């Protein structure tokens, strides 16, 4: 039998623009324990594939890891935005300039089940039409297109490090 922890009390530690942090006191198997939980509205990420079977990737500097990272287009679900699909359409256009004629939900993933409520909805987008990027003021995003199989092989060799990209490539390979 699995022991289910129950909330005793909760304290907001930090409130930010994209995430909040709380400290929950919970029942534990041997009394009480504390759990630090990141609250996040969620995000979307897109495997966008053009008519040549090239995947659309983005390279941008990621401050947290201190270097540029190659990943699939993605973005947060804005506060009050209830539809992940709408967020995905918006984010693909903003980051890459593309719009998709066909969209399929690949699935969703939890970023880290130990401490985060963030869920990322993963979409396969095809029948792409090119357009202009609509980047946020603080974004610098390079769009890179390469054969899907090449990107998948890069992931298999450990050359791609972004978790949502790895999960989405695996799911897309199986479902396309």
């Amino acid at each position: 039998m699995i022991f289910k922890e129950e909330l005793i009390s909760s304290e907001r530690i930090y409130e930010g623009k994209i995430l909040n942090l709380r400290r929950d006191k919970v029942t534990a198997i041997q009394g009480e324990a504390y759990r630090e939980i990141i609250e996040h509205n969620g995000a979307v990420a897109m495997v966008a594939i053009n008519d040549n079977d090239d995947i659309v990737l983005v390279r941008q500097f990621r401050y947290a890891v201190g270097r540029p990272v190659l990943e699939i287009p993605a973005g947060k679900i804005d506060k009050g935005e209830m539809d992940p699909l709408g967020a995905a359409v918006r984010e693909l256009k903003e980051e890459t300039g593309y719009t998709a004629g066909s969209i399929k939900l690949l699935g969703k993933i939890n970023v880290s089940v130990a401490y985060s409520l963030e869920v990322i909805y993963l979409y396969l987008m095809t029948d792409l039409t090119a357009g202009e990027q609509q980047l946020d003021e603080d974004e610098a995003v390079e769009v890179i297109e390469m054969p899907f199989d090449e990107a998948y092989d890069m992931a298999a060799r450990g050359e791609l490090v972004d978790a949502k990209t790895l999960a989405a490539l695996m799911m897309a390979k199986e479902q396309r």
Side-chain angles (χ1 to χ4, degrees):
M1 181 170 131
I2 296 179
F3 180 82
K4 180 180 176 189
E5 298 177 348
E6 299 287 342
L7 179 66
I8 297 170
S9 64
S10 187
E11 171 193 10
R12 175 70 51 87
I13 296 172
Y14 172 79
E15 192 164 317
K17 183 179 174 185
I18 64 169
L19 61 87
N20 301 324
L21 176 63
R22 72 176 199 242
R23 184 172 185 235
D24 290 352
K25 185 177 185 180
V26 299
T27 59
I29 195 132
Q30 295 198 18
E32 298 173 347
Y34 289 93
R35 304 288 182 246
E36 294 173 346
I37 305 296
I38 294 172
E39 301 170 341
H40 189 281
N41 284 342
V44 294
M46 295 70 65
V47 176
I49 300 177
N50 67 22
D51 292 341
N52 296 326
D53 202 39
D54 290 338
I55 186 170
V56 179
L57 299 170
V58 294
R59 184 188 327 268
Q60 55 189 322
F61 185 85
R62 292 301 196 174
Y63 180 80
V65 295
R67 66 182 180 85
V69 175
L70 187 61
E71 58 192 282
I72 59 175
K76 65 182 177 59
I77 297 172
D78 291 334
K79 204 170 222 165
E81 193 170 29
M82 302 303 294
D83 178 24
L85 176 58
V89 169
R90 174 181 50 77
E91 285 292 343
L92 183 69
K93 177 70 174 167
E94 287 177 6
E95 288 200 355
T96 70
Y98 279 107
T99 55
S102 177
I103 303 171
K104 176 183 179 185
L105 177 66
L106 292 169
K108 60 185 182 176
I109 58 173
N110 293 86
V111 174
S112 178
V113 295
Y115 60 82
S116 178
L117 300 179
E118 183 180 4
V119 173
I120 301 178
Y121 296 84
L122 305 174
Y123 292 92
L124 176 62
M125 296 187 166
T126 56
D127 191 22
L128 303 180
T129 302
E132 295 294 318
Q133 284 177 302
Q134 299 172 353
L135 298 174
D136 294 337
E137 291 177 3
D138 62 347
E139 285 184 306
V141 176
E142 177 187 7
V143 177
I144 297 171
E145 297 180 25
M146 68 174 62
F148 178 88
D149 289 337
E150 184 178 330
Y152 188 87
D153 290 345
M154 289 175 69
R157 291 191 304 266
E159 295 171 20
L160 301 178
V161 298
D162 176 61
K164 71 183 175 305
T165 298
L166 298 174
L169 287 172
M170 181 193 72
M171 293 167 92
K173 177 110 174 155
E174 292 302 313
Q175 294 189 37
R176 53 191 276 264

